[in-house]
Amino acid sequence: MRTALTSLGLIVLLAAAPAVAEEAAADRDAQVVVHGGDDLAEMIARICGAQATLDDVLAHNGLDAGAAVPPGTALTIPAAWIVSMTPGSAEVLFVVGQVTARRGDGTELPLGAGARLVPGDVLVTGADGAANLRLLRASESLDHDHLLVEADTEVILEQILVAEDEGSRNIFLRLLHGALEIVTSRSGASRKEIEVETPTAIGGVRGTEFRLTVEPAGDGAPVATRLETLEGSVALAAEGDERAVGAGFGSRAAEGAGPTELHPLPPAPAPLSPADGVVLEAFEFRWEAVDGAASYVLEIAEDETFIRRHLVVEVDAP
């Protein structure tokens, strides 16, 4: 739950620097991820125009024409076939703590507000770091999607393709470890496919808000991906299986296994103090306990959109 004025955010869990120069990324192959209910031919036509058909893409990926494609499959589209969409970029809106970008040549640069990232860049946050990015289109008139990157996270911006005339976009991220939250624009006019690949699953969204976390292996448990959907619906695909995860529910995909049954997310707790709208020199945050909560995350920001977050802390008690 996030409240205005005091800019307090509570989320219940299931368990200034140099800018980076923008580079051309027009020669990069693209990827399209298949999910149940997708019109794959329409998606290919939107990216390739008359340059290539669905059968061409299937053949390029070693598949027969008309072949059934399991959910979660990533099809590669050669850069030479991409004629209807152009590369986009991401703008860093706010950082706290240690946040760096790793370029294709291995160079690492510190990031600050206003820096631009392009496909192929890797964003890395330290133990005290976090960042908020805006995924841009070729035109500032188009709506935006926000990417909130948590501490101890490494994510690759594999692909940002946009069609300026239609407002559509195809974004592919690779979450190596850590956690991120994606908040998409609410525009119903734009077409969007946003995919996040982790070591164990792929989360695909067509307009929503969700959190994705890579749980490291430990105590005999394998690496796993945890998905929590806050708004809309996300398709979680793993091992050829797929599950639609709607708002207020979560699912998990461990290494070598498909997505689990849906589990309801615990409700956000009700704040007890301080009162909404008050201005104090010092105060203590308190909230109601939530049954079944493993921990709580407290966010403090200077704006009610929570783009400029100054503190994100996880605690066990209310």
Side-chain angles (χ1 to χ4, degrees):
M1 179 189 65
R2 290 172 176 170
T3 61
L5 299 181
T6 56
S7 293
L8 160 66
L10 286 171
I11 303 172
V12 180
L13 301 181
L14 288 177
V20 175
E22 188 166 351
E23 295 177 348
D27 59 345
R28 294 176 58 86
D29 291 347
Q31 287 185 303
V32 170
V33 179
V34 181
H35 294 287
D38 281 347
D39 187 336
L40 192 53
E42 187 273 337
M43 292 170 62
I44 300 301
R46 187 150 30 89
I47 296 175
C48 300
Q51 190 71 17
T53 66
L54 171 58
D55 286 344
D56 295 330
V57 173
L58 291 175
H60 179 77
N61 286 268
L63 300 172
D64 295 332
V69 185
T73 302
L75 300 176
T76 300
I77 302 176
W81 294 356
I82 304 172
V83 295
S84 298
M85 304 185 82
T86 57
S89 62
E91 178 188 10
V92 179
L93 298 179
F94 186 72
V95 300
V96 59
Q98 182 181 6
V99 181
T100 61
R102 186 167 65 245
R103 312 311 302 270
D105 60 3
T107 303
E108 286 200 13
L109 297 172
L111 287 183
R116 289 292 179 97
L117 300 176
V118 296
D121 286 344
V122 184
L123 188 143
V124 182
T125 59
D128 64 341
N132 190 312
L133 278 66
R134 178 172 61 179
L135 303 175
L136 297 177
R137 259 59 64 198
S139 169
E140 291 292 337
S141 65
L142 296 174
D143 51 349
H144 306 287
D145 304 309
H146 287 172
L147 175 65
L148 309 177
V149 185
E150 307 294 352
D152 284 322
T153 295
E154 187 172 3
V155 58
I156 306 174
L157 279 67
E158 291 281 4
Q159 172 178 307
I160 306 176
L161 291 176
V162 300
E164 188 173 2
D165 55 339
E166 302 172 6
S168 62
R169 79 296 307 265
N170 191 295
I171 297 167
F172 189 91
L173 309 173
R174 197 181 306 276
L175 178 62
L176 303 183
H177 63 84
L180 54 80
E181 180 177 336
I182 291 180
V183 182
T184 69
S185 59
R186 302 298 190 266
S187 172
S190 62
R191 293 291 304 274
K192 64 188 73 176
E193 288 98 31
I194 300 178
E195 311 290 343
V196 183
E197 183 182 75
T198 73
T200 66
I202 289 183
V205 58
R206 302 297 182 257
T208 190
E209 180 177 357
F210 67 99
R211 293 191 297 262
L212 205 59
T213 303
V214 174
E215 301 175 351
D219 296 329
V223 176
T225 297
R226 185 176 75 243
L227 169 69
E228 299 160 312
T229 303
L230 307 181
E231 289 186 12
S233 180
V234 179
L236 184 65
E239 297 295 319
D241 191 13
E242 183 174 83
R243 193 169 298 278
V245 184
F249 289 88
S251 182
R252 190 171 177 272
E255 186 176 13
T260 64
E261 295 289 335
L262 302 188
H263 295 277
L265 301 179
L272 298 177
S273 68
D276 194 20
V278 301
V279 179
L280 299 172
E281 290 296 325
F283 48 86
E284 185 175 64
F285 286 108
R286 290 182 178 274
W287 54 89
E288 294 181 349
V290 175
D291 290 340
S295 60
Y296 304 87
V297 171
L298 171 68
E299 299 180 1
I300 298 179
E302 61 183 72
D303 63 297
E304 57 187 83
T305 61
F306 279 76
I307 289 176
R308 300 179 63 83
R309 297 181 300 168
H310 284 274
L311 178 67
V312 179
V313 60
E314 183 174 349
V315 295
D316 295 330

